[in-house]
Amino acid sequence: MQESRYTLPAPLGGLLSRLPPFPGSWMFAKALNLALARQIPADVQVALEGKKLRLRVTDAQLAFDFEWRKGAFVACRPHAAPDLSIGAAAHDFVLLARREEDPDTLFFSRRLSLEGDTELGLLFKNTLDALDVSAFDFDLLGRLRRSGAR
């Protein structure tokens, strides 16, 4: 996989890799639920039910394992082979979340990797493309924080 233009320093990635995986996955699943779970259409929820997903932040050497179960994302213990594993550098994930970069562009430039069920990967991509991602508008969040809005 090709490196992002902006990556975390290797010593920081090495330090982060020492963190236990489950608490990070738990926090990640909670964040997904707050930001996105209510927007996921019913047909997509059915297709995602019980699927094991892994998000790998390559430069941070972190992986978040989670699944969709009974209407919510839940953390799960790492599996040898999740149904779908998505990997990229932290900066590239931020670009994707803010829709400043297209997943296809990152994929074909080898900065985004998908391993496992490609049909599930396409479902995930199409679902994310249809979601309101204003939760990832960091500039708006910063302005709200500075103005004291809640």
Side-chain angles (χ1 to χ4, degrees):
M1 193 162 94
Q2 185 175 332
E3 284 194 25
S4 174
R5 223 172 18 161
Y6 304 101
T7 57
L8 296 174
L12 178 58
L15 181 65
L16 291 171
S17 72
R18 297 175 195 267
L19 294 173
F22 189 77
S25 294
W26 181 84
M27 291 185 336
F28 184 73
K30 294 296 182 190
L32 283 177
N33 287 328
L34 287 171
L36 304 175
R38 290 182 296 229
Q39 299 181 60
I40 297 178
D43 60 327
V44 174
Q45 290 183 28
V46 170
L48 285 177
E49 186 68 31
K51 299 291 185 183
K52 308 287 190 245
L53 306 166
R54 176 175 295 145
L55 186 90
R56 292 180 303 103
V57 185
T58 55
D59 56 341
Q61 300 179 42
L62 292 174
F64 303 108
D65 288 274
F66 57 101
E67 65 182 294
W68 182 264
R69 194 175 337 139
K70 298 180 183 173
F73 290 105
V74 295
C76 57
R77 302 279 177 204
H79 291 82
D83 294 298
L84 178 65
S85 178
I86 303 168
H91 181 257
D92 289 331
F93 278 124
V94 170
L95 294 176
L96 284 171
R98 295 178 69 177
R99 293 201 172 131
E100 293 176 9
E101 191 68 80
D102 179 71
D104 293 328
T105 300
L106 290 179
F107 179 78
F108 288 113
S109 66
R110 296 188 172 168
R111 290 170 41 201
L112 176 73
S113 69
L114 293 173
E115 298 170 9
D117 185 341
T118 54
E119 186 176 328
L120 182 59
L122 187 58
L123 173 72
F124 207 71
K125 175 197 173 295
N126 291 339
T127 301
L128 288 177
D129 285 346
L131 296 176
D132 172 20
V133 293
S134 61
F136 299 108
D137 185 347
F138 301 121
D139 294 330
L140 174 63
L141 292 174
R143 288 191 306 272
L144 290 173
R145 187 174 299 126
R146 284 190 297 277
S147 71
R150 304 242 177 226

